Amino acid sequence: MRVLIVEDESTLRQQLATHLRKSGYAVDVATDGKEGLYYGKEYPVDIAVIDLGLPVLSGLELIRQLRAAGKKYPILILTAREKWQDKVEGLEAGADDYLVKPFHLEELMARLAALIRRAGGWAQALLHSGPIVLDMRTQLVTVSGDAIELTAFEYKVLEYLMLHPGQVVSKSTLTEHIYEQDFDKDSNVIEVFVARLRKKLDPDNQFSPIETLRGRGYRFAIDNEKSAKE
Amino acid sequence: MVYEMVMSSLRGRLLISASLCSFIFLGLTGITLYQAYQQTLLHAQKAHLRAIINDLLRVADPQSSNNILSFPGEKIEHRLMAPGSGLYASVISEDNRLVWQSPSLIGQKLDFVKTIPAGQVEFKKIKENGVGLFVMRMGVIWEDNQDKERGYTFNIAQSTNLYEQQVREFLQDLWLGLTSMVIIFLLLQWAILHWGLSPLRRVAQELRKIESGEKDFLEGSYPHELAGLTKNLNVLINHERLRQKRYKNAMADLAHSFKTPLSVLRGCVEQQVDLNKIPALVKEQVDRLNQIVSYQLQRAATSGKATFSKPVPIMPMVKKIYSALDKVYADKRIDFQMDVSESSFFYGEEGDLFELLGNLLDNACKWCQKTVVLRAFMCKEVDVAGLALIISDDGPGIPALEISRILKRGERADSTKAGHGIGLAVVKEIVDAYNGKLTLGQSSIGGAKIGVFLQE
């Protein structure tokens, strides 16, 4: 998943970026509201973390403009102001959650994960379809109860596909949302990941969790019986 | 610039308007008097000239021997006999022939003579040859000694000199009289205003003393129109004082509460505590410091009961907070129930209500399983009218120990206990600032029930 951080305070910004990358996110950073608006509009962002007190363009105004530009991805506000009036104002402007500074990084991660899966239509932290269960909190994948070993990128591909269940996801989209810089990645890498995933998830070719649609992309099939999607 | 200066002073305004009024009023009076006097004088002139004519008419003998009117000298008004006396008479026949002329006309070149029909009388003021004259003319018909009817016009003229002098003198007296009246009037005005506006001066003086710290409140007794103003000023001053005191107290408490966590942290460094324990310890103290800061700042910023607060409607704010909480707790899919009467208002600062409702509802959402109920209505408690808010949830409820701790007066919320702790402490602060009541208990749906009563 691709996360945009808009924070003018450099120490906090770097801390956040490092931690998020370590947790498997592709991270873009902006240091002021105007830069944030550019990245927010032009880049394939999955979720944004925006500080309210920004130079050039205020956080609130940035959120309003992103929403006005049709960007629907979840936005989490970071703010030092804990007055209810400010919280409500931020949420009314278009944000989906807020976190008051100083905060625990774990709390931030949990909230981001919650927002992402909510955006994907999942009400709980566990994404499942058929025998496959993916836990976003622990980043563990099990098939019929047995844990599966996935590399970081295999996990990212699976997670992205499961967060867009039933949707066709092109190879280039996957590349954009998984890598920070995609200029030297060719789509064959994705093909390799998907192939490996299939092997690990469904070695006996029983239920084909990932569909290939020639020339269009991949689709993670939803199992209507056991899906937890609401 | 002078205009602005004058208009900006109450006294200036009043003086200017009173002066204008008095000028206009006295001016009109003067004009009336002047005209009345003129009329009187003119009437007198007319009467006088009438008398002269009557005299002449009596003296005239139309039946004298040569059929010409004659005027025996000794019986005529003596001024008509003296040349240049100012009183002149001339009688002419109907065919404009001069019949008789008073001796006063000798050497005078004055033409005021005209014929007018018999029976008519004319009175005019004319200017002839640079000389002002009052002229009276009368037409008569007499029979001569041959019983023939003859018409004559009697023309009398009187110089206007005396008249004009009298008018001049009158005007002078009038001016003098009116001017002194105006001056006296203005002086009186000024004195009245000075006395009348003195309470305002007193207020200004007292305010200056309050500003400089000599006095605490407005203490004088003021006329009934100012009483409302001074009373409200005192309430405002008091409110500001309390607010400042609250800030000072919060800062002092803040400084005080910081000491313990800071000394623990310092201890970590100085006393070579087990390295493994340090991260947890630091985290704990940092959390504590953070809580203290939030709580004390919140406390300091609470505005509290103000005199001039606009009533804040509850419903729109509840809706805003609900939609915000709905986003934040979207996973829980909370069932928000509200029963807010249309007439519920909060008499205080909007910000305080926001914090109050925000914290109460956030707590309820955090702890509930699925349901949060808010009731708001106006009611009477003993005989004080006010706003009642009741928030219930279906969560685990508040343990009795917590209840008594939170409600205890003067309790410092610097414990690191999460949960209802900070939120309710803030609520209590706000309720206290408005001299309200806070009750904690158990709700019928299983969880906590928090009641707040705030008077109008």
Side-chain angles (χ1 to χ4, degrees), chain B residues 246-262 288-300 412 414:
Chain B
R246 198 179 297 129
Y247 263 111
K248 267 169 64 175
N249 286 345
M251 286 301 121
D253 283 346
L254 184 76
H256 186 97
S257 316
F258 259 44
K259 294 208 169 120
T260 319
L262 284 178
R288 193 165 162 185
L289 285 169
N290 187 35
Q291 267 195 351
I292 293 169
V293 167
S294 315
Y295 172 65
Q296 294 295 356
L297 282 182
Q298 169 65 52
R299 198 170 150 224
R412 287 218 186 103
D414 51 13

PDB file of all heavy atoms in Angstrom, chain B residues 246-262 288-300 412 414:
ATOM      1  N   ARG B 246      -8.061  31.407  37.426  1.00  0.00           N
ATOM      2  CA  ARG B 246      -8.082  30.024  36.977  1.00  0.00           C
ATOM      3  C   ARG B 246      -6.810  29.685  36.194  1.00  0.00           C
ATOM      4  O   ARG B 246      -6.209  28.633  36.365  1.00  0.00           O
ATOM      5  CB  ARG B 246      -9.315  29.761  36.115  1.00  0.00           C
ATOM      6  CG  ARG B 246      -9.611  28.286  35.997  1.00  0.00           C
ATOM      7  CD  ARG B 246     -10.830  28.004  35.168  1.00  0.00           C
ATOM      8  NE  ARG B 246     -12.013  28.552  35.767  1.00  0.00           N
ATOM      9  CZ  ARG B 246     -12.869  29.312  35.112  1.00  0.00           C
ATOM     10  NH1 ARG B 246     -12.674  29.591  33.862  1.00  0.00           N
ATOM     11  NH2 ARG B 246     -13.933  29.781  35.715  1.00  0.00           N
ATOM     12  N   TYR B 247      -6.411  30.599  35.324  1.00  0.00           N
ATOM     13  CA  TYR B 247      -5.180  30.395  34.568  1.00  0.00           C
ATOM     14  C   TYR B 247      -3.993  30.249  35.502  1.00  0.00           C
ATOM     15  O   TYR B 247      -3.170  29.348  35.356  1.00  0.00           O
ATOM     16  CB  TYR B 247      -4.912  31.594  33.644  1.00  0.00           C
ATOM     17  CG  TYR B 247      -5.372  31.377  32.245  1.00  0.00           C
ATOM     18  CD1 TYR B 247      -6.443  32.077  31.725  1.00  0.00           C
ATOM     19  CD2 TYR B 247      -4.729  30.451  31.423  1.00  0.00           C
ATOM     20  CE1 TYR B 247      -6.865  31.872  30.433  1.00  0.00           C
ATOM     21  CE2 TYR B 247      -5.148  30.252  30.131  1.00  0.00           C
ATOM     22  CZ  TYR B 247      -6.217  30.959  29.648  1.00  0.00           C
ATOM     23  OH  TYR B 247      -6.636  30.759  28.369  1.00  0.00           O
ATOM     24  N   LYS B 248      -3.913  31.167  36.440  1.00  0.00           N
ATOM     25  CA  LYS B 248      -2.781  31.110  37.378  1.00  0.00           C
ATOM     26  C   LYS B 248      -2.766  29.786  38.117  1.00  0.00           C
ATOM     27  O   LYS B 248      -1.723  29.153  38.242  1.00  0.00           O
ATOM     28  CB  LYS B 248      -2.890  32.253  38.388  1.00  0.00           C
ATOM     29  CG  LYS B 248      -2.110  33.483  37.941  1.00  0.00           C
ATOM     30  CD  LYS B 248      -2.361  34.722  38.737  1.00  0.00           C
ATOM     31  CE  LYS B 248      -1.964  34.681  40.174  1.00  0.00           C
ATOM     32  NZ  LYS B 248      -2.151  36.003  40.804  1.00  0.00           N
ATOM     33  N   ASN B 249      -3.944  29.384  38.604  1.00  0.00           N
ATOM     34  CA  ASN B 249      -4.007  28.114  39.336  1.00  0.00           C
ATOM     35  C   ASN B 249      -3.597  26.949  38.459  1.00  0.00           C
ATOM     36  O   ASN B 249      -2.852  26.068  38.895  1.00  0.00           O
ATOM     37  CB  ASN B 249      -5.436  27.866  39.848  1.00  0.00           C
ATOM     38  CG  ASN B 249      -5.749  28.753  41.025  1.00  0.00           C
ATOM     39  OD1 ASN B 249      -4.853  29.327  41.615  1.00  0.00           O
ATOM     40  ND2 ASN B 249      -7.016  28.860  41.348  1.00  0.00           N
ATOM     41  N   ALA B 250      -4.104  26.938  37.231  1.00  0.00           N
ATOM     42  CA  ALA B 250      -3.780  25.837  36.337  1.00  0.00           C
ATOM     43  C   ALA B 250      -2.277  25.781  36.073  1.00  0.00           C
ATOM     44  O   ALA B 250      -1.679  24.709  36.081  1.00  0.00           O
ATOM     45  CB  ALA B 250      -4.533  25.990  35.021  1.00  0.00           C
ATOM     46  N   MET B 251      -1.689  26.931  35.859  1.00  0.00           N
ATOM     47  CA  MET B 251      -0.234  26.950  35.620  1.00  0.00           C
ATOM     48  C   MET B 251       0.517  26.455  36.844  1.00  0.00           C
ATOM     49  O   MET B 251       1.467  25.681  36.742  1.00  0.00           O
ATOM     50  CB  MET B 251       0.221  28.363  35.274  1.00  0.00           C
ATOM     51  CG  MET B 251      -0.172  28.814  33.881  1.00  0.00           C
ATOM     52  SD  MET B 251       0.501  27.756  32.602  1.00  0.00           S
ATOM     53  CE  MET B 251      -1.012  27.237  31.818  1.00  0.00           C
ATOM     54  N   ALA B 252       0.070  26.904  38.007  1.00  0.00           N
ATOM     55  CA  ALA B 252       0.738  26.481  39.239  1.00  0.00           C
ATOM     56  C   ALA B 252       0.595  24.976  39.425  1.00  0.00           C
ATOM     57  O   ALA B 252       1.568  24.282  39.740  1.00  0.00           O
ATOM     58  CB  ALA B 252       0.146  27.225  40.432  1.00  0.00           C
ATOM     59  N   ASP B 253      -0.621  24.482  39.202  1.00  0.00           N
ATOM     60  CA  ASP B 253      -0.846  23.043  39.330  1.00  0.00           C
ATOM     61  C   ASP B 253      -0.021  22.268  38.332  1.00  0.00           C
ATOM     62  O   ASP B 253       0.525  21.204  38.633  1.00  0.00           O
ATOM     63  CB  ASP B 253      -2.335  22.717  39.109  1.00  0.00           C
ATOM     64  CG  ASP B 253      -3.165  23.066  40.325  1.00  0.00           C
ATOM     65  OD1 ASP B 253      -2.568  23.297  41.386  1.00  0.00           O
ATOM     66  OD2 ASP B 253      -4.399  23.104  40.214  1.00  0.00           O
ATOM     67  N   LEU B 254       0.054  22.826  37.124  1.00  0.00           N
ATOM     68  CA  LEU B 254       0.837  22.189  36.073  1.00  0.00           C
ATOM     69  C   LEU B 254       2.280  22.035  36.517  1.00  0.00           C
ATOM     70  O   LEU B 254       2.862  20.957  36.462  1.00  0.00           O
ATOM     71  CB  LEU B 254       0.765  23.045  34.805  1.00  0.00           C
ATOM     72  CG  LEU B 254       1.445  22.477  33.572  1.00  0.00           C
ATOM     73  CD1 LEU B 254       0.601  21.380  32.992  1.00  0.00           C
ATOM     74  CD2 LEU B 254       1.651  23.559  32.549  1.00  0.00           C
ATOM     75  N   ALA B 255       2.841  23.146  36.977  1.00  0.00           N
ATOM     76  CA  ALA B 255       4.238  23.115  37.422  1.00  0.00           C
ATOM     77  C   ALA B 255       4.413  22.095  38.533  1.00  0.00           C
ATOM     78  O   ALA B 255       5.348  21.298  38.535  1.00  0.00           O
ATOM     79  CB  ALA B 255       4.651  24.497  37.896  1.00  0.00           C
ATOM     80  N   HIS B 256       3.476  22.108  39.454  1.00  0.00           N
ATOM     81  CA  HIS B 256       3.550  21.194  40.589  1.00  0.00           C
ATOM     82  C   HIS B 256       3.485  19.740  40.137  1.00  0.00           C
ATOM     83  O   HIS B 256       4.300  18.916  40.542  1.00  0.00           O
ATOM     84  CB  HIS B 256       2.399  21.517  41.545  1.00  0.00           C
ATOM     85  CG  HIS B 256       2.453  20.753  42.815  1.00  0.00           C
ATOM     86  ND1 HIS B 256       2.980  21.247  43.982  1.00  0.00           N
ATOM     87  CD2 HIS B 256       2.060  19.494  43.097  1.00  0.00           C
ATOM     88  CE1 HIS B 256       2.902  20.341  44.922  1.00  0.00           C
ATOM     89  NE2 HIS B 256       2.343  19.260  44.418  1.00  0.00           N
ATOM     90  N   SER B 257       2.500  19.447  39.282  1.00  0.00           N
ATOM     91  CA  SER B 257       2.319  18.049  38.863  1.00  0.00           C
ATOM     92  C   SER B 257       3.485  17.522  38.048  1.00  0.00           C
ATOM     93  O   SER B 257       3.693  16.328  37.968  1.00  0.00           O
ATOM     94  CB  SER B 257       1.052  17.903  38.019  1.00  0.00           C
ATOM     95  OG  SER B 257       0.005  18.601  38.587  1.00  0.00           O
ATOM     96  N   PHE B 258       4.192  18.429  37.401  1.00  0.00           N
ATOM     97  CA  PHE B 258       5.318  17.988  36.577  1.00  0.00           C
ATOM     98  C   PHE B 258       6.465  17.465  37.421  1.00  0.00           C
ATOM     99  O   PHE B 258       7.286  16.673  36.963  1.00  0.00           O
ATOM    100  CB  PHE B 258       5.824  19.171  35.743  1.00  0.00           C
ATOM    101  CG  PHE B 258       5.343  19.145  34.322  1.00  0.00           C
ATOM    102  CD1 PHE B 258       4.028  18.839  34.023  1.00  0.00           C
ATOM    103  CD2 PHE B 258       6.208  19.408  33.284  1.00  0.00           C
ATOM    104  CE1 PHE B 258       3.593  18.809  32.719  1.00  0.00           C
ATOM    105  CE2 PHE B 258       5.772  19.388  31.969  1.00  0.00           C
ATOM    106  CZ  PHE B 258       4.468  19.085  31.694  1.00  0.00           C
ATOM    107  N   LYS B 259       6.536  17.932  38.662  1.00  0.00           N
ATOM    108  CA  LYS B 259       7.713  17.623  39.475  1.00  0.00           C
ATOM    109  C   LYS B 259       7.943  16.131  39.629  1.00  0.00           C
ATOM    110  O   LYS B 259       9.061  15.660  39.466  1.00  0.00           O
ATOM    111  CB  LYS B 259       7.587  18.294  40.841  1.00  0.00           C
ATOM    112  CG  LYS B 259       7.630  19.802  40.713  1.00  0.00           C
ATOM    113  CD  LYS B 259       8.177  20.468  41.959  1.00  0.00           C
ATOM    114  CE  LYS B 259       8.442  21.917  41.636  1.00  0.00           C
ATOM    115  NZ  LYS B 259       7.704  22.835  42.453  1.00  0.00           N
ATOM    116  N   THR B 260       6.869  15.405  39.934  1.00  0.00           N
ATOM    117  CA  THR B 260       7.067  13.973  40.171  1.00  0.00           C
ATOM    118  C   THR B 260       7.571  13.240  38.933  1.00  0.00           C
ATOM    119  O   THR B 260       8.627  12.592  38.996  1.00  0.00           O
ATOM    120  CB  THR B 260       5.768  13.321  40.686  1.00  0.00           C
ATOM    121  OG1 THR B 260       5.165  14.194  41.615  1.00  0.00           O
ATOM    122  CG2 THR B 260       6.052  11.979  41.293  1.00  0.00           C
ATOM    123  N   PRO B 261       6.869  13.320  37.809  1.00  0.00           N
ATOM    124  CA  PRO B 261       7.384  12.585  36.649  1.00  0.00           C
ATOM    125  C   PRO B 261       8.803  13.020  36.271  1.00  0.00           C
ATOM    126  O   PRO B 261       9.636  12.202  35.912  1.00  0.00           O
ATOM    127  CB  PRO B 261       6.406  12.947  35.528  1.00  0.00           C
ATOM    128  CG  PRO B 261       5.203  13.452  36.185  1.00  0.00           C
ATOM    129  CD  PRO B 261       5.597  14.000  37.500  1.00  0.00           C
ATOM    130  N   LEU B 262       9.057  14.325  36.374  1.00  0.00           N
ATOM    131  CA  LEU B 262      10.391  14.798  36.007  1.00  0.00           C
ATOM    132  C   LEU B 262      11.445  14.211  36.922  1.00  0.00           C
ATOM    133  O   LEU B 262      12.529  13.823  36.475  1.00  0.00           O
ATOM    134  CB  LEU B 262      10.454  16.328  36.059  1.00  0.00           C
ATOM    135  CG  LEU B 262       9.776  17.047  34.887  1.00  0.00           C
ATOM    136  CD1 LEU B 262       9.854  18.545  35.067  1.00  0.00           C
ATOM    137  CD2 LEU B 262      10.448  16.657  33.578  1.00  0.00           C
ATOM    138  N   ARG B 288       2.326  10.199  31.326  1.00  0.00           N
ATOM    139  CA  ARG B 288       1.778  10.930  32.464  1.00  0.00           C
ATOM    140  C   ARG B 288       1.890  12.439  32.249  1.00  0.00           C
ATOM    141  O   ARG B 288       0.942  13.189  32.456  1.00  0.00           O
ATOM    142  CB  ARG B 288       2.571  10.524  33.692  1.00  0.00           C
ATOM    143  CG  ARG B 288       1.935  10.947  34.979  1.00  0.00           C
ATOM    144  CD  ARG B 288       2.586  10.193  36.095  1.00  0.00           C
ATOM    145  NE  ARG B 288       2.332  10.829  37.364  1.00  0.00           N
ATOM    146  CZ  ARG B 288       2.869  10.437  38.495  1.00  0.00           C
ATOM    147  NH1 ARG B 288       3.706   9.414  38.496  1.00  0.00           N
ATOM    148  NH2 ARG B 288       2.587  11.047  39.613  1.00  0.00           N
ATOM    149  N   LEU B 289       3.085  12.881  31.804  1.00  0.00           N
ATOM    150  CA  LEU B 289       3.295  14.299  31.532  1.00  0.00           C
ATOM    151  C   LEU B 289       2.290  14.789  30.491  1.00  0.00           C
ATOM    152  O   LEU B 289       1.697  15.856  30.625  1.00  0.00           O
ATOM    153  CB  LEU B 289       4.718  14.547  31.017  1.00  0.00           C
ATOM    154  CG  LEU B 289       5.824  14.484  32.067  1.00  0.00           C
ATOM    155  CD1 LEU B 289       7.185  14.481  31.404  1.00  0.00           C
ATOM    156  CD2 LEU B 289       5.710  15.669  33.013  1.00  0.00           C
ATOM    157  N   ASN B 290       2.129  13.966  29.479  1.00  0.00           N
ATOM    158  CA  ASN B 290       1.193  14.338  28.418  1.00  0.00           C
ATOM    159  C   ASN B 290      -0.217  14.512  28.953  1.00  0.00           C
ATOM    160  O   ASN B 290      -0.907  15.482  28.650  1.00  0.00           O
ATOM    161  CB  ASN B 290       1.218  13.256  27.331  1.00  0.00           C
ATOM    162  CG  ASN B 290       0.402  13.662  26.140  1.00  0.00           C
ATOM    163  OD1 ASN B 290       0.342  14.828  25.789  1.00  0.00           O
ATOM    164  ND2 ASN B 290      -0.266  12.710  25.529  1.00  0.00           N
ATOM    165  N   GLN B 291      -0.637  13.587  29.767  1.00  0.00           N
ATOM    166  CA  GLN B 291      -1.969  13.687  30.358  1.00  0.00           C
ATOM    167  C   GLN B 291      -2.127  14.938  31.199  1.00  0.00           C
ATOM    168  O   GLN B 291      -3.146  15.634  31.124  1.00  0.00           O
ATOM    169  CB  GLN B 291      -2.207  12.476  31.268  1.00  0.00           C
ATOM    170  CG  GLN B 291      -2.894  11.351  30.572  1.00  0.00           C
ATOM    171  CD  GLN B 291      -3.438  10.350  31.566  1.00  0.00           C
ATOM    172  OE1 GLN B 291      -3.157  10.418  32.754  1.00  0.00           O
ATOM    173  NE2 GLN B 291      -4.217   9.422  31.079  1.00  0.00           N
ATOM    174  N   ILE B 292      -1.109  15.211  31.988  1.00  0.00           N
ATOM    175  CA  ILE B 292      -1.174  16.390  32.847  1.00  0.00           C
ATOM    176  C   ILE B 292      -1.328  17.652  32.000  1.00  0.00           C
ATOM    177  O   ILE B 292      -2.165  18.510  32.273  1.00  0.00           O
ATOM    178  CB  ILE B 292       0.105  16.526  33.708  1.00  0.00           C
ATOM    179  CG1 ILE B 292       0.183  15.380  34.706  1.00  0.00           C
ATOM    180  CG2 ILE B 292       0.129  17.854  34.437  1.00  0.00           C
ATOM    181  CD1 ILE B 292       1.515  15.279  35.392  1.00  0.00           C
ATOM    182  N   VAL B 293      -0.504  17.731  30.955  1.00  0.00           N
ATOM    183  CA  VAL B 293      -0.565  18.917  30.094  1.00  0.00           C
ATOM    184  C   VAL B 293      -1.967  19.087  29.514  1.00  0.00           C
ATOM    185  O   VAL B 293      -2.560  20.153  29.583  1.00  0.00           O
ATOM    186  CB  VAL B 293       0.474  18.821  28.961  1.00  0.00           C
ATOM    187  CG1 VAL B 293       0.212  19.870  27.905  1.00  0.00           C
ATOM    188  CG2 VAL B 293       1.868  19.009  29.528  1.00  0.00           C
ATOM    189  N   SER B 294      -2.481  17.980  28.942  1.00  0.00           N
ATOM    190  CA  SER B 294      -3.820  18.082  28.336  1.00  0.00           C
ATOM    191  C   SER B 294      -4.831  18.580  29.336  1.00  0.00           C
ATOM    192  O   SER B 294      -5.604  19.481  29.062  1.00  0.00           O
ATOM    193  CB  SER B 294      -4.323  16.723  27.861  1.00  0.00           C
ATOM    194  OG  SER B 294      -3.352  16.059  27.185  1.00  0.00           O
ATOM    195  N   TYR B 295      -4.811  17.933  30.500  1.00  0.00           N
ATOM    196  CA  TYR B 295      -5.824  18.259  31.484  1.00  0.00           C
ATOM    197  C   TYR B 295      -5.713  19.700  31.972  1.00  0.00           C
ATOM    198  O   TYR B 295      -6.699  20.433  32.003  1.00  0.00           O
ATOM    199  CB  TYR B 295      -5.708  17.287  32.660  1.00  0.00           C
ATOM    200  CG  TYR B 295      -6.585  17.664  33.808  1.00  0.00           C
ATOM    201  CD1 TYR B 295      -7.967  17.657  33.683  1.00  0.00           C
ATOM    202  CD2 TYR B 295      -6.031  18.069  35.016  1.00  0.00           C
ATOM    203  CE1 TYR B 295      -8.777  18.030  34.743  1.00  0.00           C
ATOM    204  CE2 TYR B 295      -6.839  18.434  36.072  1.00  0.00           C
ATOM    205  CZ  TYR B 295      -8.206  18.414  35.934  1.00  0.00           C
ATOM    206  OH  TYR B 295      -8.994  18.801  36.974  1.00  0.00           O
ATOM    207  N   GLN B 296      -4.506  20.123  32.329  1.00  0.00           N
ATOM    208  CA  GLN B 296      -4.369  21.463  32.891  1.00  0.00           C
ATOM    209  C   GLN B 296      -4.665  22.551  31.868  1.00  0.00           C
ATOM    210  O   GLN B 296      -5.275  23.570  32.186  1.00  0.00           O
ATOM    211  CB  GLN B 296      -2.954  21.658  33.466  1.00  0.00           C
ATOM    212  CG  GLN B 296      -2.649  20.788  34.668  1.00  0.00           C
ATOM    213  CD  GLN B 296      -3.504  21.131  35.884  1.00  0.00           C
ATOM    214  OE1 GLN B 296      -4.293  22.072  35.868  1.00  0.00           O
ATOM    215  NE2 GLN B 296      -3.344  20.341  36.920  1.00  0.00           N
ATOM    216  N   LEU B 297      -4.207  22.328  30.626  1.00  0.00           N
ATOM    217  CA  LEU B 297      -4.486  23.344  29.611  1.00  0.00           C
ATOM    218  C   LEU B 297      -5.976  23.457  29.357  1.00  0.00           C
ATOM    219  O   LEU B 297      -6.520  24.534  29.198  1.00  0.00           O
ATOM    220  CB  LEU B 297      -3.736  23.022  28.319  1.00  0.00           C
ATOM    221  CG  LEU B 297      -2.259  23.379  28.374  1.00  0.00           C
ATOM    222  CD1 LEU B 297      -1.600  23.081  27.043  1.00  0.00           C
ATOM    223  CD2 LEU B 297      -2.082  24.849  28.712  1.00  0.00           C
ATOM    224  N   GLN B 298      -6.592  22.302  29.314  1.00  0.00           N
ATOM    225  CA  GLN B 298      -8.040  22.283  29.122  1.00  0.00           C
ATOM    226  C   GLN B 298      -8.713  23.068  30.236  1.00  0.00           C
ATOM    227  O   GLN B 298      -9.595  23.884  30.013  1.00  0.00           O
ATOM    228  CB  GLN B 298      -8.505  20.822  29.141  1.00  0.00           C
ATOM    229  CG  GLN B 298     -10.001  20.662  29.212  1.00  0.00           C
ATOM    230  CD  GLN B 298     -10.678  21.191  28.001  1.00  0.00           C
ATOM    231  OE1 GLN B 298     -10.337  20.843  26.872  1.00  0.00           O
ATOM    232  NE2 GLN B 298     -11.645  22.060  28.180  1.00  0.00           N
ATOM    233  N   ARG B 299      -8.251  22.826  31.428  1.00  0.00           N
ATOM    234  CA  ARG B 299      -8.801  23.488  32.601  1.00  0.00           C
ATOM    235  C   ARG B 299      -8.624  24.999  32.515  1.00  0.00           C
ATOM    236  O   ARG B 299      -9.523  25.768  32.791  1.00  0.00           O
ATOM    237  CB  ARG B 299      -8.051  22.961  33.812  1.00  0.00           C
ATOM    238  CG  ARG B 299      -8.736  23.204  35.110  1.00  0.00           C
ATOM    239  CD  ARG B 299      -8.018  22.415  36.175  1.00  0.00           C
ATOM    240  NE  ARG B 299      -8.141  23.103  37.431  1.00  0.00           N
ATOM    241  CZ  ARG B 299      -7.166  23.288  38.298  1.00  0.00           C
ATOM    242  NH1 ARG B 299      -5.964  22.830  38.028  1.00  0.00           N
ATOM    243  NH2 ARG B 299      -7.381  23.905  39.416  1.00  0.00           N
ATOM    244  N   ALA B 300      -7.447  25.409  32.115  1.00  0.00           N
ATOM    245  CA  ALA B 300      -7.163  26.837  32.018  1.00  0.00           C
ATOM    246  C   ALA B 300      -8.013  27.481  30.941  1.00  0.00           C
ATOM    247  O   ALA B 300      -8.446  28.615  31.074  1.00  0.00           O
ATOM    248  CB  ALA B 300      -5.683  27.049  31.702  1.00  0.00           C
ATOM    249  N   ARG B 412      -6.915  15.781  41.715  1.00  0.00           N
ATOM    250  CA  ARG B 412      -6.046  16.081  40.584  1.00  0.00           C
ATOM    251  C   ARG B 412      -6.018  14.875  39.668  1.00  0.00           C
ATOM    252  O   ARG B 412      -5.750  13.776  40.100  1.00  0.00           O
ATOM    253  CB  ARG B 412      -4.617  16.361  41.045  1.00  0.00           C
ATOM    254  CG  ARG B 412      -4.475  17.681  41.715  1.00  0.00           C
ATOM    255  CD  ARG B 412      -3.133  18.317  41.331  1.00  0.00           C
ATOM    256  NE  ARG B 412      -2.948  19.531  42.112  1.00  0.00           N
ATOM    257  CZ  ARG B 412      -2.161  19.619  43.165  1.00  0.00           C
ATOM    258  NH1 ARG B 412      -1.469  18.582  43.541  1.00  0.00           N
ATOM    259  NH2 ARG B 412      -2.061  20.738  43.825  1.00  0.00           N
ATOM    260  N   ASP B 414      -4.019  13.385  37.759  1.00  0.00           N
ATOM    261  CA  ASP B 414      -2.707  13.091  37.188  1.00  0.00           C
ATOM    262  C   ASP B 414      -2.326  11.640  37.375  1.00  0.00           C
ATOM    263  O   ASP B 414      -1.174  11.271  37.420  1.00  0.00           O
ATOM    264  CB  ASP B 414      -1.635  14.036  37.761  1.00  0.00           C
ATOM    265  CG  ASP B 414      -1.677  14.059  39.277  1.00  0.00           C
ATOM    266  OD1 ASP B 414      -2.351  13.184  39.868  1.00  0.00           O
ATOM    267  OD2 ASP B 414      -1.054  14.932  39.861  1.00  0.00           O
TER     268      ASP B 414
END
